[in-house]
Amino acid sequence: MARTREFDTEAAVGRAMDLFWARGYEATSVRDLTRHLGIGQGSLYAAFGDKDGLYRAALEHYRATLAADALRDLKEGADVRSAVRAMLVGRVRVAAGDGGRGCLMVNAACERLPRDPSVRRLVRDVQDASRDALAEVLEAAAERGEISRRHDPRTLAEFLVTFLNGLLVAAKVAPEPRTLEPLVEVALASLD
C-alpha cells in the first residue's frame, strides 16, 4: 500500500522557490532541498520526480504568484506611465532584495539556457505574457492619447521587457534601488 504524502507540496514548492532563488539551480543540491523543506529524499522524488521537477514547479510557482501579481497590478494601474513605472520599480526592488537575488526567471535564463529546453519554454512564456500585457496597456494608452504613437505599442512592450531583464541582472551586480530606479525614468521617455 502506498504511503500518504505527509507534507504540503504547495508550501514545499514555495520554500524550494526561495532556496533556488537565493542559491541558483546548480548550487542547490537535493540534500540542501530536503533539509530546507524538512522532507526525506524519497518524498521529494515521489512528489516531484527529481530536482529538475521541483525546479520547474518552483518556476511555475513564481510565474503564478510574483509574475502574475506584477501583471495584474500593471493592468489595474490608473495611468499608463504610473502603472509601468510602478511595475518596473517594484521588480527592481524585489530583485535588489536579499543582497541582490535578482529575478528567478532571469536567473533561470542565465543559468539554465540554452541546455534546458523546458526552462527555455517557461521563461519564454513568462516573457511573452509580460510583453503581451504591456502591449495591451500601451495600445489602450495610445488610443486615449496618453502616450505617443511614434512607436508601435508591441515594439515598446518588447523594449520594456528587454530593458527590465537587463535591469534585473544589474540589480544582482549592484543591488541598490536608488541607483537603478532613475534608469526607469529614462526607459519611460520612450513613451513620449
Side-chain angles (χ1 to χ4, degrees):
M1 177 187 290
R3 290 183 59 195
T4 304
R5 194 167 294 144
E6 297 176 8
F7 66 95
D8 180 344
T9 56
E10 189 172 326
V13 168
R15 291 183 52 136
M17 179 191 77
D18 291 337
L19 188 60
F20 283 126
W21 199 351
R23 299 186 68 188
Y25 176 86
E26 296 297 336
T28 303
S29 68
V30 170
R31 175 180 247 174
D32 296 331
L33 288 163
T34 58
R35 283 182 182 162
H36 188 72
L37 302 178
I39 63 174
Q41 189 172 349
S43 295
L44 183 144
Y45 288 123
F48 305 106
D50 57 12
K51 177 181 162 183
D52 286 342
L54 180 53
Y55 185 64
R56 282 189 298 278
L59 291 173
E60 288 286 356
H61 182 72
Y62 181 90
R63 172 168 69 168
T65 56
L66 294 168
D69 288 349
L71 294 181
R72 186 191 65 247
D73 292 347
L74 174 68
K75 289 183 176 184
E76 293 175 357
D79 68 279
V80 72
R81 287 176 197 278
S82 297
V84 172
R85 180 182 293 110
M87 189 266 295
L88 294 173
V89 168
R91 299 306 299 145
V92 165
R93 289 178 181 167
V94 168
D98 294 331
R101 66 183 175 167
C103 165
L104 184 60
M105 286 294 167
V106 172
N107 295 352
C110 293
E111 184 178 18
R112 302 293 299 157
L113 303 185
R115 68 186 180 278
D116 189 331
S118 67
V119 170
R120 179 187 299 275
R121 278 189 302 279
L122 183 56
V123 170
R124 180 169 276 173
D125 288 348
V126 170
Q127 299 280 317
D128 289 348
S130 297
R131 184 201 57 235
D132 293 348
L134 272 166
E136 182 181 317
V137 167
L138 293 170
E139 180 61 44
E143 288 173 7
R144 291 189 305 268
E146 284 183 47
I147 65 170
S148 169
R149 280 260 184 211
R150 184 170 60 108
H151 298 293
D152 171 63
R154 191 155 186 83
T155 303
L156 277 173
E158 190 70 52
F159 163 74
L160 289 170
V161 168
T162 302
F163 166 78
L164 178 58
N165 289 337
L167 201 58
L168 296 173
V169 171
K172 289 180 69 75
V173 176
E176 300 155 1
R178 73 180 189 289
T179 304
L180 298 170
E181 289 175 15
L183 302 176
V184 170
E185 297 307 317
V186 175
L188 289 174
S190 66
L191 303 179
D192 295 335

